[in-house]
Amino acid sequence: MVEDRKLPNGARKRRLLGVIVVAATGLVLVVVGANVRLWTVSSGHRFGPGAAPTVPVVIVPGAKVGPDGAPMAYLRGRLDVAIELLHAGKAREILVSGDAAGTSGDEIASMTKYLADHGVDPALVRSDGEGLSTRATCERAKRLFGIDRAIIVTQYRHVPRAVALCRAEGIDADGVTAYCDCRRMTLIRNNLREWLAAPKAVAALIGR
C-alpha cells in the first residue's frame, strides 16, 4: 500500500485496472467452468417432451406467479409439459414444489389450481410448499416424498443445474425442457441468472 502511494497517479490507475481485469477474468472462468461441469454431469439426462422417458413422477419447480395468482410464462410452460407427460402416460403423478409464501404469491396454490383447471385429477398431484430453491426441491423430494426416479421439468438453461442437483440427492433424475412463451427480456434475465447460479450448484455437488 505504501508503494502504491509512491507511484504516480497514472501508474496507480493502471495497476488498479490490472487487478480489476484479473479478478473479472477469474470470475468469468469460474462461471464458465461451473456451467460446463453442470452440462457434463447432466449429459445423457436431458430430453425434449417428445423423447421423455417413463418415470413414476414429474417434478415441477416453482417460479413467479402473476398479480392475479395465475402462473406466469416460465411456470406455465413447466406445467403444460407436466400435463402433456401425464396424459402421454410418461408419469403417474406430479409433484409441484415451490414457495407457498413467495414474494409474488403462493406458487403452490397457483400450480395446483392450474393443473386442476387443465383436467389433472387433484389426487395425482402432491405438493411441497417449502421447495424454496432447486436444491431444496430435490432434497425434499427425496427425503420427504421418497422419490427415487423422476423427471424434472424446467427451462432449457435450468435443466442441467436441476438434473445435477437432483441426481446429487440420490434421485435418478432426467430433465425435460419446458416451453417458454416468454418476452426476450425475461429470457435474457433468467438465462443470466442460470449462468451465475452455476458455481453455487457445483460447490454443492463438491461438498457432498
Side-chain angles (χ1 to χ4, degrees):
M1 296 297 291
V2 173
E3 290 182 359
D4 279 354
R5 287 196 294 270
K6 291 180 179 179
L7 290 173
N9 189 51
R12 286 202 301 271
K13 288 182 178 179
R14 287 193 294 273
R15 174 173 289 187
L16 177 60
L17 179 60
V19 170
I20 292 172
V21 169
V22 169
T25 301
L27 178 60
V28 169
L29 290 175
V30 167
V31 171
V32 171
N35 277 276
V36 170
R37 172 69 182 276
L38 295 180
W39 281 84
T40 300
V41 169
S42 63
S43 178
H45 300 287
R46 303 187 302 268
F47 301 92
T54 300
V55 299
V57 59
V58 176
I59 301 172
V60 182
K64 191 174 182 180
V65 302
D68 60 353
M72 295 189 73
Y74 249 54
L75 185 52
R76 190 166 60 248
R78 297 174 186 180
L79 293 167
D80 285 344
V81 170
I83 293 168
E84 183 179 318
L85 294 174
L86 195 69
H87 288 169
K90 295 288 187 175
R92 297 192 298 270
E93 63 179 356
I94 297 172
L95 171 65
V96 293
S97 179
D99 191 348
T103 55
S104 67
D106 187 337
E107 295 173 3
I108 299 302
S110 178
M111 289 192 280
T112 54
K113 183 179 186 304
Y114 187 88
L115 292 172
D117 288 347
H118 287 76
V120 176
D121 183 349
L124 302 179
V125 180
R126 292 193 283 175
S127 62
D128 177 11
E130 295 185 27
L132 307 184
S133 66
T134 304
R135 185 180 183 185
T137 287
C138 295
E139 187 272 331
R140 290 171 65 83
K142 174 69 173 182
R143 178 170 56 87
L144 298 182
F145 295 88
I147 294 174
D148 296 311
R149 177 80 175 105
I151 283 171
I152 185 162
V153 175
T154 187
Q155 275 70 29
Y156 179 75
R157 282 289 176 192
H158 186 206
V159 166
R161 182 163 66 95
V163 168
L165 288 172
C166 276
R167 296 187 74 82
E169 294 296 339
I171 299 174
D172 182 8
D174 291 311
V176 171
T177 303
Y179 308 126
C180 189
D181 182 17
C182 304
R183 295 179 302 171
R184 183 176 181 84
M185 186 52 64
T186 300
L187 287 172
I188 292 172
R189 183 175 62 250
N190 283 281
N191 287 345
L192 178 61
R193 175 180 176 274
E194 280 305 318
W195 271 89
L196 296 178
K200 183 178 179 180
V202 170
L205 300 182
I206 294 172
R208 293 195 60 80

